[in-house]
Amino acid sequence: MTVVSDSDPPARSSRRMQLQVCVNGARDAVEHPWLSADASVVADDAARAVAAGAQEVHVHPKDAAGRDSLAADDVARWVRAVRTAIPGVPVGVTTGAWAEPDVARRLTAIESWTELPDHASVNWHEAGADEVAALLLKRGVAVEAGLWDAAGFEVWKRSPVRGECLRVLIELPDEPTELLRDHAEGMIAHVELEEPDLPVLLHGEEGSTWPVFDLAVELGLASRIGLEDTLLLPDGAPAPGNAALVRAAVARMRGV
């Protein structure tokens, strides 16, 4: 599925741009009506986002209290809910250290997963990234390499599984817009120097979300949008849900 059909006029280099929807993240459920601890509610919202043009889903499984979880039962419940709502759409999850700070327990949790996602993000600035990534690959789960800063890049650069990653996620922090291009282009250049054939997904967070999305469109890179990254539409209005964010992203991809 492509976001822009062949009948549409080319919109810069974004014509076949991959768009991921990051539906919830580590946000608290009170921040938005669609940030529910109920997997079926979030899965329904994810389905609307895919209908609006997203091609894959990144979701943070939650426990009963609404906290990010790597426990097998929680991961299975959330991955199944999304797959039931959107059959055939790739589903990714987080392995963030905030969900389980202890590396050994994080690995044990991942080893116990019974419903495997299509891919999982691994933050290389966190302790145990190499081990987590290696275990995911061993279990047949593709790895998105999360690079947030120079320190994480240096660890990933030395990683024995660096070249086996599905893609690199370059996340830019909420920083002044005038700094974003140099920051992004510097990170991209470093990644391409090490792994020139590895796809890059570029995205921001909070205030940098839409400027970085536009930069990804300009550079012809994959990107993502969703309530994990921002609660606001490009004009600053509150987003009704993930589908509205995806529709706004697709419009910007088409140059509207």
Side-chain angles (χ1 to χ4, degrees), residues 70-160:
L70 302 182
D73 288 349
D74 295 325
V75 172
R77 185 173 67 258
W78 282 75
V79 172
R80 284 174 189 153
V82 175
R83 284 180 171 153
T84 298
I86 331 167
V89 174
V91 180
V93 302
T94 184
T95 62
W98 60 86
E100 177 46 78
D102 183 86
V103 175
R105 287 199 292 267
R106 203 181 322 152
L107 292 168
T108 297
I110 294 169
E111 185 67 63
S112 71
W113 288 356
T114 55
E115 183 81 20
L116 296 178
D118 296 283
H119 50 77
S121 59
V122 178
N123 298 317
W124 248 268
H125 61 276
E126 296 175 350
D130 282 348
E131 293 88 343
V132 169
L135 176 57
L136 289 166
L137 291 168
K138 178 182 176 183
R139 300 215 62 200
V141 179
V143 171
E144 297 180 304
L147 302 183
W148 189 80
D149 56 17
F153 170 78
E154 288 300 323
V155 179
W156 174 80
K157 178 181 175 180
R158 299 189 299 271
S159 175

Side-chain angles (χ1 to χ4, degrees), residues 3-202:
V3 174
V4 183
S5 72
D6 288 340
S7 62
D8 293 316
R12 293 178 284 183
S13 57
S14 62
R15 188 173 165 195
R16 299 186 183 278
M17 177 180 174
Q18 291 292 115
L19 180 61
Q20 181 183 91
V21 60
C22 48
V23 290
N24 56 355
R27 292 187 185 273
D28 193 290
V30 300
E31 294 184 60
H32 193 281
W34 285 111
L35 294 175
S36 174
D38 185 330
S40 63
V41 170
V42 176
D44 287 345
D45 194 36
R48 282 186 284 273
V50 169
Q55 296 154 301
E56 59 182 55
V57 175
H58 174 73
V59 66
H60 287 210
K62 309 286 183 178
D63 62 16
R67 297 181 296 257
D68 279 10
S69 173
L70 302 182
D73 288 349
D74 295 325
V75 172
R77 185 173 67 258
W78 282 75
V79 172
R80 284 174 189 153
V82 175
R83 284 180 171 153
T84 298
I86 331 167
V89 174
V91 180
V93 302
T94 184
T95 62
W98 60 86
E100 177 46 78
D102 183 86
V103 175
R105 287 199 292 267
R106 203 181 322 152
L107 292 168
T108 297
I110 294 169
E111 185 67 63
S112 71
W113 288 356
T114 55
E115 183 81 20
L116 296 178
D118 296 283
H119 50 77
S121 59
V122 178
N123 298 317
W124 248 268
H125 61 276
E126 296 175 350
D130 282 348
E131 293 88 343
V132 169
L135 176 57
L136 289 166
L137 291 168
K138 178 182 176 183
R139 300 215 62 200
V141 179
V143 171
E144 297 180 304
L147 302 183
W148 189 80
D149 56 17
F153 170 78
E154 288 300 323
V155 179
W156 174 80
K157 178 181 175 180
R158 299 189 299 271
S159 175
V161 299
R162 182 188 75 198
E164 298 179 58
C165 294
L166 172 67
R167 62 172 71 100
V168 171
L169 308 181
I170 295 178
E171 178 175 335
L172 300 192
D174 186 0
E175 62 185 7
T177 301
E178 61 268 20
L179 302 178
L180 294 173
R181 179 179 292 273
D182 285 348
H183 190 168
E185 291 181 344
M187 288 286 287
I188 293 166
H190 280 84
V191 169
E192 290 181 341
L193 185 64
E194 303 301 327
E195 294 291 342
D197 296 325
L198 201 60
V200 170
L201 186 155
L202 178 67

